Amino acid sequence: MIGASVLMVPYPLNMIPIPVLYGVFVFLAITSLGEFQMWERLVLIFTEQSLYPPFHYVRKVPQKIIHCFTLLQILQLAALCLISFGGSAYLKMFFPFVIILLMPIREKILPTLISERHLNSLDGEH
């Protein structure tokens, strides 16, 4: 099926309206939110603590640390969005550098704010 789509590159793909493609991508994004840990933690900010679902990190990490980690990730995501969706082409050139900068932030800066044990619980899938 993927190989057949290569044959459709010049003309038949041009017949698909752009809003239809946008709708497909929005549908895929919304249906995948349930499996996205950052979305789960974002919902926890607005949920009463007694109603928290039994996620592994909820049992191991205090509520304040979970919310702090989530807000730090949202700030990093906002910075990425500002750079990638910014109007300036010069600003967009820094996108790869910001992505690379996320690694030292996680490895050097976040452990000074949040303990390594809590970070492992929040990052890991176990």
Side-chain angles (χ1 to χ4, degrees):
M1 183 126 168
I2 293 173
S5 67
V6 173
L7 300 174
M8 296 174 33
V9 169
Y11 180 69
L13 282 182
N14 291 337
M15 294 175 56
I16 300 173
I18 297 297
V20 170
L21 293 176
Y22 287 160
V24 169
F25 292 137
V26 167
F27 173 76
L28 289 172
I30 290 173
T31 56
S32 68
L33 278 179
E35 303 164 5
F36 191 40
Q37 191 186 80
M38 190 168 106
W39 176 257
E40 293 170 352
R41 286 187 275 108
L42 185 64
V43 170
L44 290 180
I45 292 175
F46 304 105
T47 305
E48 186 178 333
Q49 189 173 7
S50 63
L51 300 174
Y52 279 7
F55 297 131
H56 68 280
Y57 53 86
V58 171
R59 288 184 239 128
K60 296 179 182 178
V61 181
Q63 177 185 15
K64 181 181 174 184
I65 303 286
I66 293 173
H67 296 334
C68 178
F69 183 73
T70 303
L71 291 175
L72 289 171
Q73 279 193 326
I74 289 171
L75 288 174
Q76 292 172 5
L77 179 64
L80 283 174
C81 288
L82 285 174
I83 289 174
S84 65
F85 299 132
S88 171
Y90 295 111
L91 186 62
K92 292 179 183 181
M93 290 188 323
F94 289 105
F95 184 77
F97 299 111
V98 175
I99 291 288
I100 292 171
L101 186 64
L102 291 176
M103 290 185 290
I105 288 174
R106 168 58 182 91
E107 294 298 321
K108 302 294 182 193
I109 297 173
L110 279 180
T112 62
L113 302 172
I114 301 172
S115 73
E116 193 67 38
R117 179 175 54 96
H118 291 149
L119 282 175
N120 288 336
S121 294
L122 289 167
D123 275 349
E125 291 295 324
H126 48 275

